[in-house]
C-alpha cells in the first residue's frame, strides 16, 4: 500500500472487507517496518519505517483468505489504494488424485507438455520425497522462488499423515519481483494458475 494509506482506515477496511475482527498491535516490527499488528491468526499488517517510504504491508495467510466474502470488493479496494500484490499463492486440489498426481506432473514436465517460461526456456525442476516408496508423500517443483514463479505439486493427503489419501494439490507461488501481479488474480485465480506455464 502506498502513502495514501491511513492505518485507522485500513483497520476499518480489514474488518469490513476481510472479516478480520481481532487486530492486536505488537511490540515488534516486521521486515524493516517499525510497527506491526497481528490479525487474529489471519496474517499481519506492518507500517512506518524510513526504508519503507511511507508504505504499509498487508499479509494474509490461508485462514485470512478463507474469511474473505467478496474478492471483487478486495480487488476494487486494492486498486483504489494503488496497492501492489507482492506475492500470491494460487492452488487447485484434486481430491481423487485421478486427474493430477505426482507422476503426471513429472511426466508432463519431462515430455515438454507446457512447461515453458515466457522467454521460451524450460524452467528447472526438482523432486522431494521418496519416489520409490510414496507412503510419506512426494513433491515436484517446477520453477524457482528466485525466478519469482514456482509450481509445487504435492501429495497433500499423505502430507497430512494419511498414506492412502489420494489428495493432490497444485500450488503456484508468484512473486512480484520480476513481474507485475495483476489484481485480476484475485477474481480469476484459475486462469492464472492454468496459464502460468
Amino acid at each position: 500500500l502506498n502513502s495514501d494509506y491511513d492505518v485507522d482506515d485500513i483497520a476499518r477496511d480489514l474488518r469490513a472487507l476481510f472479516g478480520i475482527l481481532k487486530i492486536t498491535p505488537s511490540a515488534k516490527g516486521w521486515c524493516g517496518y517499525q510497527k506491526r499488528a497481528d490479525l487474529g491468526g489471519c496474517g499481519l499488517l506492518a507500517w512506518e519505517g524510513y526504508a519503507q517510504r511511507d508504505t504499509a504491508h498487508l499479509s494474509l495467510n490461508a485462514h485470512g483468505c478463507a474469511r474473505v466474502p467478496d474478492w471483487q470488493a478486495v480487488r476494487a479496494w486494492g486498486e483504489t489504494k494503488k496497492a501492489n500484490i507482492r506475492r500470491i499463492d494460487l492452488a487447485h486440489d484434486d481430491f481423487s488424485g485421478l486427474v493430477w498426481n505426482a507422476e503426471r506432473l513429472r511426466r508432463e514436465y519431462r515430455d515438454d507438455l507446457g512447461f515453458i517460461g515466457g522467454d521460451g526456456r524450460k524452467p528447472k525442476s526438482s523432486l522431494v520425497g521418496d519416489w520409490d516408496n510414496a507412503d510419506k508423500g512426494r513433491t515436484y517443483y517446477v520453477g524457482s522462488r528466485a525466478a519469482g514463479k514456482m509450481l509445487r505439486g504435492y501429495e497433500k493427503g499423505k502430507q497430512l499423515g494419511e498414506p492412502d489419501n489420494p489428495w493432490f494439490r497444485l500450488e503456484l507461488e508468484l512473486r512480484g519481483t520480476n513481474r507485475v501481479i495483476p489484481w485480476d488474480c484475485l477474481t480469476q485465480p484459475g486462469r492464472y494458475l492454468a496459464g502460468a506455464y
Side-chain angles (χ1 to χ4, degrees), residues 104-122:
R104 178 181 176 191
L105 185 58
R106 186 176 184 194
R107 184 177 61 251
E108 292 210 3
Y109 175 85
R110 192 177 49 232
D111 294 347
D112 293 327
L113 298 174
F115 288 100
I116 303 299
D119 58 3
R121 293 185 297 168
K122 191 173 186 175

Side-chain angles (χ1 to χ4, degrees), residues 130-188:
D130 185 345
W131 283 72
D132 295 318
N133 179 11
D135 287 348
K136 297 197 176 179
R138 302 167 291 175
T139 303
Y140 194 75
Y141 293 91
V142 177
S144 70
R145 280 200 167 121
K149 183 168 78 167
M150 181 175 67
L151 179 73
R152 281 181 292 275
Y154 61 100
E155 295 171 316
K156 182 71 177 172
K158 293 176 184 175
Q159 179 201 34
L160 296 174
E162 301 171 17
D164 297 324
N165 187 332
W167 180 5
F168 190 78
R169 174 173 286 173
L170 290 170
E171 192 172 85
L172 176 69
E173 179 183 313
L174 287 176
R175 292 178 178 260
T177 335
N178 304 321
R179 69 189 42 81
V180 173
I181 300 173
W183 283 93
D184 201 31
C185 279
L186 297 183
T187 53
Q188 300 190 60

Side-chain angles (χ1 to χ4, degrees), residues 77-107:
W77 175 81
E79 290 172 337
T80 301
K81 295 286 185 188
K82 298 183 176 101
N84 296 311
I85 299 174
R86 304 302 299 156
R87 175 180 169 176
I88 192 166
D89 292 358
L90 307 172
H92 171 76
D93 289 307
D94 182 345
F95 295 106
S96 70
L98 295 174
V99 177
W100 281 104
N101 51 57
E103 289 80 11
R104 178 181 176 191
L105 185 58
R106 186 176 184 194
R107 184 177 61 251

Side-chain angles (χ1 to χ4, degrees), residues 52-71:
Q52 280 54 39
R53 300 185 179 131
D54 292 327
T55 63
H57 182 102
L58 171 64
S59 178
L60 287 181
N61 59 28
H63 299 292
C65 290
R67 297 180 71 96
V68 175
D70 183 357
W71 283 107

